[in-house]
Amino acid sequence: MNGHSSPRRGRTLKLYLVDGSPSGVITAELGISSVRAVVASRTALPELIRREEATRTGIYLLVGPDADVPGRQLVYVGEGDQVKTRLAAHDSDESKEFFTRAVLVVTKDENLTKAHGRYLESRIIAAIRNAGRATLVNGTRPPFKGLPEPEIADMERVLDEIEILLPVLGFDVLRPAGHDAVASVRRVEPAPDPATAAGSSEAAPIFIFTEAGTNAKAREAGDEFVVLAGSTAKSQEVPSCIDGLKRRRAQMVADGKLAQTEDPKFLRFVADTAFDTPSGAAGVIYGGNVSGPRYWRHETSSQTYGDWRKSRISEESES
């Protein structure tokens, strides 16, 4: 890998809808690659289990919504010699009722062993914990270190393929806030600056939110709106704050993403934190529903985020 300053190269994604339906089993490969992913909704799980890929050694993720925290996902990571046996057991396991989709990852040359599967499982679990985008259902497990160095190198290349495939297929649970979907599992280089994570040669502008005494900064990174570490949020929600937002803020405190400051009126963002929208970020900071486009302002021009977006779109249309 030559660093994130080098030009991006395109990749070919091959998708195959097994029964012709987007709600059925889908296989996915990245051009010339050794990795194949097979995705299915829970209702289509029997069809996935019947496929030849499910008879191989591989790793899998079970993903579904977190009923207690709107907008957050639960995820379970597993491995198996014959993955179909594990998937069938999970489908009847009451503790796995949460999952609505499953993705199985195998190699096309069928050279994965049990040790390889355990290594990949361990690395993916660690990456999900580091990213903080989903709640892991897996129990505590120490890192797996039972592979010789050459095979670790091979599995790291497999991980490179997995970390590109999963977000494209709707399983974006490995990528830390503000980071690219590439190199989020294997950190052999410094993490990319959120200012340039979107692939732009220009620094992404910073926006500020200062309602009710808060002091928050954020910037766009890729397809997300990222509140920067050190930003402050209100400790107390407004009376009209909806229950879902209250639960989300409480979960962020429990996860260590928001911490109490010396001033009891405010919380502090411990790390860069990604949101789907500026309003989602503003709601967590303010402790109630608030319009992100109206209340986030450009740090240097004081232009609202909404007006800034309109001007950018207008410029692009004219050019």
Side-chain angles (χ1 to χ4, degrees), residues 201-309:
S201 59
E202 300 179 1
I206 291 177
F207 297 90
I208 59 174
F209 184 98
T210 56
E211 295 301 305
T214 60
N215 182 16
K217 294 185 177 182
R219 56 163 47 110
E220 289 185 330
D223 58 350
E224 297 175 315
F225 195 75
V226 179
V227 177
L228 304 183
S231 297
T232 59
K234 287 172 55 185
S235 296
Q236 186 69 38
E237 289 101 0
V238 299
S240 61
C241 184
I242 61 176
D243 289 342
L245 183 53
K246 290 180 181 179
R247 290 195 297 269
R248 184 172 190 182
R249 281 167 47 95
Q251 186 65 51
M252 290 177 68
V253 172
D255 291 343
K257 292 182 178 180
L258 284 175
Q260 188 64 58
T261 66
E262 293 181 358
D263 186 339
K265 295 180 181 179
F266 298 103
L267 301 169
R268 177 177 57 86
F269 283 81
V270 175
D272 292 355
T273 303
F275 294 87
D276 292 336
T277 65
S279 292
V284 167
I285 294 166
Y286 184 67
N289 291 342
V290 64
S291 170
R294 289 180 57 192
Y295 288 97
W296 284 103
R297 291 187 172 273
H298 195 287
E299 186 177 41
T300 55
S301 70
S302 294
Q303 189 178 30
T304 67
Y305 176 85
D307 288 343
W308 174 82
R309 287 282 296 179

